[in-house]
Amino acid sequence: MKKLFAILMAVLMVLSISACSNGSGGSEKPAEETTGAKTIGVVQLVQHAALDAATQGFVDEVKKAFPDANIVVQNASGDSATCSTIVQGFVNDGVDLIMANATPALQAAVSATGDIPILGTSVTEYGVALGIDGFNGLVGSNVSGTSDLAPLDQQAQMIMDLFPETKTVGIIFCSNEANSKYQVEVVTKELEAKGVTVKTASFTDSNDIAMVCEDLCSQIDVLYIPTDNQAASCTETIANVVLEKKIPVIAGEEGICSLCGIATLTISYYDLGVTTGQMAVKILNGEEAIENMPIQYFTNPIKKFNVENGKLFGLEMPAGFEAIE
C-alpha cells in the first residue's frame, strides 16, 4: 500500500507541473497573448455628442469583426497634454492600433509613434493637422483615417438662404484648434465674396467663451460655429448668450445646432466612426497596409433644422431639411 501511495503522489506531481507549464493557472502571459485578442487604444479629445458618436460607431464596427478585442477608450477632457499622456500609455502597452478622435488627439498620437497604426476621426483637414503642404489625401505613413469636413461653401450659402438680409456674420472658434482656423478661413472667403462682412473671435477654453461670445454677438447679425470641439463642449454656454441676444446660429454639425443653432449641413459622426472601424478591421486583418489607405470623406451631408429654435426667429423648417430630434 505504501508503494502504491508513493506512485500515485508522483503521478499527481507530474500532472501538476504539466498543467502549470501549459498555462492553466499560474501563467504570467497577458490574456491577449494566449487568446490572440487585439488591443486597441482610443484617445478622445473631449466628451460631446459628435465625438461620442464617432467613438461608438468605431467600437461597434470593430467588435463585429473582433468580438474579443480589448478596446480601451480614454477621454482627455479637452486637454492636449492629456492626449499625449494617454497615447504614450498606449505605446508603452504595445497596442495593435490607436484611434485618435479629434485633431489634437491625432497630433499627439503622431508625435508618440511612427510604428503603431494610427487612425484619426473627426479631423477636418489632415494636411493642416499634420503640417503637410500640398496634401493629396494620402499621408503615406502609419497614419490614415476619416474626415468630418462638410462642404463649407454650402454652409456659407445656407446663412444667406435663411437670412438673406445679413450684413455681418460672426465666427467663433477655439484658438488651439488648427482645423477650426482652416474652416474659419474658408467660410470667411466664401462670405466676403457674397459681400458680407465677417468678424472672427477666438477663445482659449471654457473660462472665456461666454465673454468672447457676448462681445461678438453685439456686432453681428448671424453667428457661424464650425466643427470646433471646444465650442461643442460649451454649447450650453453659447446658447445662453445667443438665445438671449436673439442672434441666429448656423452650425458646422448637428450636436452644436441641437442646443444653440437653427440650421446645419452636417455629417453622421456615428457613420464616420463606422467607416474608421472598417479601416481598422482591414489593417488588423492584414488586408491592407495603412500607408496605402487614403483619408476617407463623408459624401452625403444632411441639412438639418432645429424647429424649436427656429420658432424663436419666426422660421419654419424649409423644404429639403430634416428636423433635429
Side-chain angles (χ1 to χ4, degrees):
M1 289 294 291
K2 288 182 178 180
K3 186 175 180 179
L4 179 60
F5 180 79
I7 292 172
L8 288 173
M9 290 298 293
V11 170
L12 289 172
M13 184 174 293
V14 171
L15 290 173
S16 177
I17 293 171
S18 176
C20 288
S21 65
N22 287 326
S24 58
S27 173
E28 294 183 358
K29 290 184 178 181
E32 58 267 26
E33 291 187 18
T34 57
T35 65
K38 302 296 184 182
T39 300
I40 299 170
V42 176
V43 53
Q44 180 174 317
L45 174 64
V46 67
Q47 185 174 12
H48 64 71
L51 297 192
D52 291 349
T55 293
Q56 191 61 57
F58 175 82
V59 171
D60 290 349
E61 189 65 22
V62 171
K63 283 288 189 179
K64 289 180 184 178
F66 301 102
D68 296 329
N70 179 27
I71 304 178
V72 181
V73 179
Q74 294 196 30
N75 195 298
S77 300
D79 183 49
S80 297
T82 302
C83 285
S84 298
T85 301
I86 291 170
V87 171
Q88 192 57 57
F90 292 155
V91 173
N92 293 342
D93 291 340
V95 299
D96 296 295
L97 184 141
I98 295 171
M99 196 279 268
N101 194 345
T103 300
L106 175 68
Q107 292 168 330
V110 171
S111 296
T113 178
D115 300 316
I116 298 172
I118 300 168
L119 288 174
T121 195
S122 311
V123 176
T124 304
E125 173 53 55
Y126 281 75
V128 173
L130 301 179
I132 303 173
D133 293 331
F135 181 62
N136 63 2
L138 180 68
V139 178
S141 63
N142 65 318
V143 180
S144 189
T146 55
S147 168
D148 64 354
L149 179 64
L152 298 174
D153 58 338
Q154 294 180 40
Q155 290 184 353
Q157 185 59 48
M158 183 178 286
I159 296 173
M160 306 312 299
D161 290 343
L162 294 176
F163 305 99
E165 302 301 319
T166 297
K167 298 291 189 292
T168 306
V169 172
I171 306 178
I172 191 168
F173 66 101
C174 178
S175 58
N176 296 323
E177 296 204 22
N179 278 312
S180 292
K181 295 176 184 178
Y182 168 78
Q183 293 173 81
V184 170
E185 291 173 2
V186 174
V187 173
T188 296
K189 288 180 181 179
E190 291 289 335
L191 290 172
E192 287 181 342
K194 302 176 190 301
V196 176
T197 299
V198 178
K199 294 182 179 291
T200 63
S202 63
F203 62 93
T204 55
D205 54 37
S206 59
N207 295 320
D208 61 345
I209 190 170
M211 182 179 64
V212 170
C213 190
E214 283 187 16
D215 181 60
L216 182 60
C217 284
S218 66
Q219 308 172 54
I220 62 174
D221 303 313
V222 177
L223 179 66
Y224 174 75
I225 307 174
T227 54
D228 184 291
N229 291 295
Q230 292 295 339
S233 66
C234 299
T235 306
E236 189 172 349
T237 300
I238 297 173
N240 290 336
V241 176
V242 297
L243 296 180
E244 179 184 344
K245 292 185 174 293
K246 298 289 193 297
I247 298 295
V249 172
I250 302 298
E253 55 94 6
E254 181 178 355
I256 296 173
C257 192
S258 64
L259 279 178
C260 70
I262 289 180
T264 180
L265 181 65
T266 188
I267 68 168
S268 166
Y269 277 84
Y270 181 86
D271 289 346
L272 196 71
V274 167
T275 299
T276 314
Q278 292 169 347
M279 297 173 75
V281 170
K282 290 180 180 179
I283 294 166
L284 295 171
N285 273 334
E287 298 174 29
E288 195 167 349
I290 191 170
E291 58 267 24
N292 298 327
M293 302 177 79
I295 303 303
Q296 300 293 304
Y297 293 85
F298 194 87
T299 56
N300 298 303
I302 308 162
K303 290 182 178 180
K304 292 210 168 186
F305 191 82
N306 187 324
V307 176
E308 290 303 313
N309 284 353
K311 290 178 181 177
L312 299 177
F313 295 88
L315 295 176
E316 295 184 359
M317 186 169 67
F321 283 73
E322 295 181 10
I324 294 175
E325 297 180 358

